[in-house]
Amino acid sequence: MLRDFKETAQNLLTVFQNSPLALIALDSNMNVKYWNKTSEKMFGWKEEEIVGQAFPIIPDFEAEKFKKMFEGIMAGHSVPSIEAKRLRKDGTLIDATISPMPWYDNNQKVKGYLVIINDISNFKHIEDELKTQEEKAEHMAYFDYLTGLPNRRLFEDELRRNFEEAKQRQSVLALMFLDLDGFKFLNDTLGHKIGDKLLKEVAFRLNGIRRATDFVSRVGGDEFTVILSNLKELDEVHDVAQDILKLFELPFSIENYELFITTSIGISLYPYGSNNIQDLAKNGELAMYRAKDEGKNKYQIFSPTMNISTYKKFTLQNDLRKAVAEKNIFLLYQPRVDSKSNKIVGAEALARWKHPEWGIVSPEEFITLAEESGLINTIGEQLLYEACTQNKKWQDQGYNPIKVSVNFSALQFLQANIVDTVENILIATGLDPKWLEIEITETVVMENEAHIALKLEQLREMGISIAIDDFGTGYSSLSYLKKLKPSTVKIDRSFIQQIPIDIENTEIATAVIKLSEKLKIDVVAEGVETSEQYAYLRKIHCHELQGYLFSKPVPTEEFESMLKTGECLPQTGVLTEDSSFDNRREYFRIDLPRQLVAEMTITSLGGKAVQMGMTKVLIEDIGPGGVRFTSNIKLPARPDLILKLKTYILDQTLEVSGSIVWTNEVDNLQQYGLKLTIKDKLRDSLTSLLNQFQVSIRNKTITSTSSFLATSKRQFFSPKLEK
Ligand code: C2E
Ligand code: CA
Ligand code: CA
């Protein structure tokens, strides 16, 4: 908690450009060296116009006092934060607290000052308005004496009011529960006086990032709440929670201490999981305890009635940072095969996340999250390093060298030093650049053409190949390919499907291949699944093929065993549904004339009971031992994931529970085999119900209601907004 500020000061400036606190660095002459975004907002001066200028926010009448204060710091004294009027660019004054600290150079000498500033005008405003004794008395009843924030009583009123409003407007309401981590220890060791000052500072900081619609209060010792009303998107909740956590990244300068403290945040949402005020309060607190459990300095969202995919997204978003730190994201390799010789000429490296609860998570589920959180840069670097290391290792082991291609997100190209990063990785791993290919999607390149074209050019000059991915999904033209000079074009899977039956697709693929031949660009057909596609693509001289027909993406060792033979032959029969489960069945199954609409929820995850909302799935067949069903949600097959399915047959609700024992992907939907966990007695009654059902289906004497699917499967799963 009490860290040496000297160590961290060096990093502050780069880290806090986007801090919700105003952070300013001054040199020893009190000229501005650094001015972050929040300072811009708070005072009106832009970074460009203020850096190098004299510190502008001190009104003349205080200049002398400030000079003294800074001299004190230079002499090694610690200075407490002060409240005073501050000047804005437009000449107006705001009330602010200002916390100055020493700024050290590499030799631990004071080279200037770091200043954290909070706008507390809102507080002052309230206090100034209170003229009469009566008003003051009332203020005391509703406001916390120490921090000036609304107290528990006012919070409860406000929560009630916001809740009614959210109900009426059908808007989303979030309640955040904050509890400082280790406050008690700090309070006991440093004394209450310091503890109180710290709480006050925390209150100021929290209030500083409050938006017009937010409500911040102190509800007890070191407990604060924030109400976010009228939310448009759930993402806002994440943003605010992250902003709050960021508030605690800067130290609190209190008397002679630079204190570091963090907070744990629990969040409850109406109408997601909390449907009344009591639940909001209870669930927020529960989630806060969970955040503490998970290692503090975190936020947790309570989400029982969120549907599974939303819940999954939330947890993935929460866990991604940890996954990166613990290197739980790894690569699979899918061979790229020469269409004439069936030799393996390359491999595409595809990311996977091994998640403790959700099993193997696909990049489609986490790359966007990584892009939103900025983690994509770290992930991209880690994976590039892994791919290069692995490829070099294969070469050192004596396998025929192949090109490994790595997917890049557009955001990675927006990093100024991306070219250096790639170069450094190549140097560190010793991989010759000609064995690395970078895949970037067509749409991405088009949107940021000039910038990305330049970076691609630099990478190409280093000897790295560039592949345009998902070709055909954007609106590219011939001139475009000429300009970017990729070594490879990968025809998107959607054009390979239905070749050669679909005439249009076939024509497009043929045209791309011809064009590339002229431009001396390699063509890869992606997503080759059938021998018909294979035969045709060979016929039209597509150079390289990639797809399940040859191999799914596989782990390193498995890919290595393919390298031993150096070739990869088309497989037969791999894409048919897994029938092994059917053969192992102990019980009969009913073949349904149509799928049954059912609702699914998870009741237990990783050994812990959980509460979630229902998500619609389709039951394909059902028997007393198991159920086969289809869902658009990816779930792992593991015994500690317990699902409940609920459907309606012969006028009765039928509920079964079990765990997934096999999974299969068909047309972007997931098929699952659910092995039921059921007591023998209940199994008997289920058996008899299903027997009746079977008879009624056979005789087509269905007079009772069962929830058979009335639309097409595709319509059923077409995305629609669900709560
Ligand atoms: P992509 O670059 O188009 O990768 C090809 C995707 O098609 C892979 O999905 C691959 O497993 C799948 N695929 C290959 N052959 C077949 C086939 O015959 N049939 C079908 N149905 N699918 C096939 P995957 O691994 O789930 O990756 C999905 C997307 O996630 C990738 O699409 C890529 O855009 C992105 N991605 C994967 N790894 C990374 C990464 O390391 N960084 C970044 N930024 N994106 C990645
Ligand atoms: Ca790709
Ligand atoms: Ca692709």
Side-chain angles (χ1 to χ4, degrees):
M1 200 176 317
L2 261 169
R3 274 193 277 147
D4 185 357
F5 184 57
K6 289 175 196 174
E7 279 172 32
T8 51
Q10 307 309 323
N11 304 325
L12 283 178
L13 302 189
T14 41
V15 177
F16 292 103
Q17 179 59 26
N18 294 315
S19 171
L21 293 170
L23 180 75
I24 297 165
L26 306 173
D27 65 15
S28 55
N29 295 321
M30 290 180 59
N31 290 325
V32 175
K33 297 298 284 183
Y34 173 83
W35 185 262
N36 76 349
K37 287 267 177 304
T38 309
S39 309
E40 279 187 20
K41 266 192 260 163
M42 200 176 284
F43 294 104
W45 283 281
K46 290 226 171 304
E47 189 188 355
E48 310 87 82
E49 59 183 324
I50 204 68
V51 168
Q53 306 295 315
F55 191 37
I57 68 166
I58 313 293
D60 283 347
F61 57 88
E62 276 189 319
E64 201 47 38
K65 185 165 126 204
F66 262 82
K67 208 160 158 251
K68 285 237 165 63
M69 182 170 99
F70 284 117
E71 279 165 9
I73 293 177
M74 193 57 97
H77 305 302
S78 195
V79 178
S81 45
I82 29 174
E83 281 174 36
K85 296 263 184 236
R86 293 287 157 263
L87 197 62
R88 300 186 75 247
K89 189 184 179 191
D90 60 12
T92 55
L93 292 172
I94 58 168
D95 290 292
T97 55
I98 181 158
S99 316
M101 287 170 247
W103 181 22
Y104 298 99
D105 65 13
N106 289 332
N107 302 321
Q108 310 286 303
K109 273 186 56 201
V110 180
K111 69 167 170 186
Y113 319 98
L114 293 173
V115 185
I116 301 171
I117 301 173
N118 275 297
D119 180 355
I120 54 163
S121 302
N122 288 323
F123 284 91
K124 285 288 168 207
H125 185 64
I126 294 168
E127 278 170 26
D128 293 348
E129 298 266 292
L130 304 172
K131 299 267 150 48
T132 66
Q133 270 314 103
E134 208 177 328
E135 276 175 337
K136 280 201 175 124
E138 197 183 347
H139 187 252
M140 296 232 329
Y142 285 104
F143 289 84
D144 167 35
Y145 69 97
L146 178 69
T147 62
L149 285 178
N151 63 13
R152 179 177 281 277
R153 198 165 148 196
L154 186 52
F155 158 69
E156 282 169 359
D157 288 354
E158 191 65 16
L159 182 61
R160 216 167 290 132
R161 203 180 61 72
N162 278 300
F163 175 73
E164 291 306 326
E165 207 173 271
K167 228 162 88 174
Q168 238 169 38
R169 288 200 207 162
Q170 300 199 307
S171 58
V172 180
L173 181 71
L175 171 62
M176 301 187 160
F177 249 90
L178 277 71
D179 191 285
L180 303 186
D181 303 322
F183 178 79
K184 191 178 168 327
F185 172 79
L186 194 143
N187 205 32
D188 290 350
T189 45
L190 301 180
H192 294 242
K193 209 171 111 214
I194 297 219
D196 279 358
K197 285 191 173 166
L198 178 64
L199 291 173
K200 218 169 148 179
E201 274 293 317
V202 168
F204 283 152
R205 286 193 187 179
L206 282 175
N207 201 56
I209 60 158
R210 191 172 61 86
R211 305 167 309 176
T213 50
D214 305 343
F215 182 85
V216 180
S217 53
R218 177 175 175 232
V219 293
D222 62 339
E223 292 168 11
F224 297 84
T225 54
V226 182
I227 302 172
L228 308 178
S229 56
N230 208 7
L231 291 167
K232 306 268 173 316
E233 297 174 64
L234 290 175
D235 281 355
E236 286 179 58
V237 179
H238 287 280
D239 292 347
V240 173
Q242 269 155 15
D243 271 355
I244 292 178
L245 293 180
K246 268 196 213 147
L247 286 181
F248 291 84
E249 288 178 355
L250 282 178
F252 291 86
S253 123
I254 303 211
E255 297 199 349
N256 293 313
Y257 301 97
E258 308 292 354
L259 299 177
F260 285 88
I261 193 160
T262 57
T263 184
S264 298
I265 309 172
I267 303 168
S268 54
L269 297 168
Y270 167 83
Y272 301 100
S274 306
N275 287 313
N276 55 49
I277 298 170
Q278 290 73 27
D279 279 0
L280 271 168
K282 188 187 78 194
N283 296 339
E285 204 162 3
L286 271 174
M288 187 271 289
Y289 284 117
R290 199 165 147 220
K292 294 244 181 211
D293 263 2
E294 307 235 308
K296 308 196 168 104
N297 192 17
K298 279 201 170 57
Y299 67 94
Q300 275 291 335
I301 293 176
F302 183 87
S303 53
T305 68
M306 256 180 212
N307 69 32
I308 296 168
S309 58
T310 315
Y311 180 84
K312 186 174 181 186
K313 193 179 164 198
F314 271 129
T315 50
L316 292 183
Q317 197 156 357
N318 259 349
D319 297 343
L320 190 56
R321 192 168 295 274
K322 198 162 152 214
V324 174
E326 294 178 355
K327 303 224 159 77
N328 287 332
I329 297 172
F330 63 99
L331 290 171
L332 296 182
Y333 298 90
Q334 187 178 33
R336 277 164 52 173
V337 181
D338 182 289
S339 63
K340 290 208 194 83
S341 64
N342 287 325
K343 285 219 163 67
I344 297 174
V345 288
E348 177 171 7
L350 293 155
R352 296 291 182 272
W353 174 4
K354 193 171 181 335
H355 187 278
E357 279 163 355
W358 296 108
I360 303 297
V361 181
S362 91
E364 261 142 9
E365 293 177 277
F366 70 82
I367 292 292
T368 333
L369 297 180
E371 289 176 340
E372 283 165 6
S373 62
L375 286 168
I376 188 70
N377 293 332
T378 320
I379 294 176
E381 249 174 73
Q382 277 183 7
L383 294 180
L384 181 64
Y385 187 86
E386 187 180 327
C388 292
T389 310
Q390 188 56 59
N391 199 15
K392 178 75 167 97
K393 206 161 147 197
W394 282 326
Q395 293 178 5
D396 291 347
Q397 286 170 352
Y399 297 113
N400 255 344
I402 57 162
K403 209 183 254 180
V404 169
S405 63
V406 177
N407 293 281
F408 267 49
S409 146
L411 291 182
Q412 290 176 263
F413 279 95
L414 299 182
Q415 296 176 99
N417 57 354
I418 181 67
V419 177
D420 294 340
T421 307
V422 174
E423 187 169 22
N424 289 339
I425 289 176
L426 284 171
I427 293 169
T429 57
L431 183 72
D432 186 329
K434 72 175 177 201
W435 302 116
L436 173 64
E437 183 158 272
I438 287 175
E439 295 193 9
I440 179 155
T441 64
E442 186 195 26
T443 27
V444 156
V445 184
M446 289 197 309
E447 277 161 16
N448 307 281
E449 199 182 318
H451 175 81
I452 291 184
L454 178 74
K455 302 278 174 189
L456 291 180
E457 175 75 48
Q458 291 170 335
L459 290 169
R460 208 175 30 241
E461 272 166 13
M462 276 163 56
I464 296 168
S465 336
I466 306 296
I468 302 295
D469 206 354
D470 301 347
F471 193 76
T473 54
Y475 300 91
S476 12
S477 64
L478 208 161
S479 64
Y480 188 70
L481 277 186
K482 261 189 172 160
K483 202 165 7 172
L484 288 171
K485 301 188 209 74
S487 341
T488 311
V489 155
K490 303 186 83 178
I491 307 177
D492 191 64
R493 181 156 58 97
S494 56
F495 296 100
I496 304 302
Q497 273 168 2
Q498 308 296 325
I499 279 185
I501 298 156
D502 184 313
I503 294 167
E504 204 175 316
N505 276 0
T506 310
E507 274 176 3
I508 292 173
T510 312
V512 173
I513 290 165
K514 279 212 178 111
L515 177 85
S516 309
E517 220 161 51
K518 276 207 190 94
L519 295 171
K520 299 204 165 46
I521 297 172
D522 254 355
V523 183
V524 183
E526 283 191 316
V528 181
E529 291 186 354
T530 67
S531 22
E532 288 77 22
Q533 292 164 355
Y534 172 47
Y536 196 84
L537 288 162
R538 259 169 85 124
K539 203 174 102 189
I540 58 176
H541 303 295
C542 183
H543 303 179
E544 284 183 40
L545 309 173
Q546 182 185 343
Y548 294 173
L549 181 68
F550 298 92
S551 167
K552 291 201 163 180
V554 294
T556 319
E557 310 76 52
E558 217 172 303
F559 190 81
E560 205 168 302
S561 62
M562 288 192 228
L563 281 181
K564 289 204 172 104
T565 64
E567 58 174 23
C568 189
L569 301 172
Q571 319 255 296
T572 40
V574 280
L575 293 166
T576 53
E577 226 167 82
D578 185 355
S579 56
S580 54
F581 183 71
D582 297 31
N583 299 336
R584 275 189 275 114
R585 280 180 194 164
E586 289 173 57
Y587 305 92
F588 71 94
R589 290 277 173 131
I590 301 179
D591 277 324
L592 301 168
R594 310 206 61 155
Q595 288 102 341
L596 280 172
V597 174
E599 300 206 289
M600 166 178 81
T601 189
I602 298 178
T603 56
S604 174
L605 186 59
K608 276 185 265 175
V610 290
Q611 255 197 317
M612 268 176 240
M614 294 291 198
T615 302
K616 290 210 160 26
V617 300
L618 288 180
I619 293 180
E620 309 272 352
D621 69 30
I622 182 166
V627 175
R628 184 162 60 102
F629 70 94
T630 300
S631 164
N632 54 1
I633 299 175
K634 287 199 173 125
L635 296 169
R638 50 190 291 168
D640 61 358
L641 173 79
I642 313 283
L643 296 175
K644 186 161 85 182
L645 293 188
K646 197 165 132 187
T647 185
Y648 199 74
I649 56 174
L650 304 177
D651 292 330
Q652 293 182 45
T653 303
L654 174 65
E655 266 190 21
V656 291
S657 283
S659 53
I660 295 172
V661 287
W662 59 260
T663 70
N664 191 27
E665 190 180 320
V666 181
D667 289 341
N668 274 327
L669 291 171
Q670 309 297 315
Q671 283 201 347
Y672 297 106
L674 190 75
K675 188 166 187 257
L676 299 185
T677 38
I678 224 177
K679 294 214 179 68
D680 283 347
K681 238 197 193 144
L682 282 171
R683 177 134 29 218
D684 292 346
S685 60
L686 178 63
T687 307
S688 95
L689 175 68
L690 291 176
N691 271 321
Q692 284 172 41
F693 193 37
Q694 175 96 72
V695 170
S696 79
I697 289 171
R698 275 209 195 116
N699 301 341
K700 300 204 169 78
T701 54
I702 309 175
T703 48
S704 51
T705 313
S706 305
S707 40
F708 285 113
L709 179 66
T711 58
S712 75
K713 208 165 164 174
R714 185 192 231 145
Q715 238 173 349
F716 182 79
F717 283 114
S718 73
K720 49 180 179 265
L721 278 176
E722 274 182 276
K723 274 202 176 145

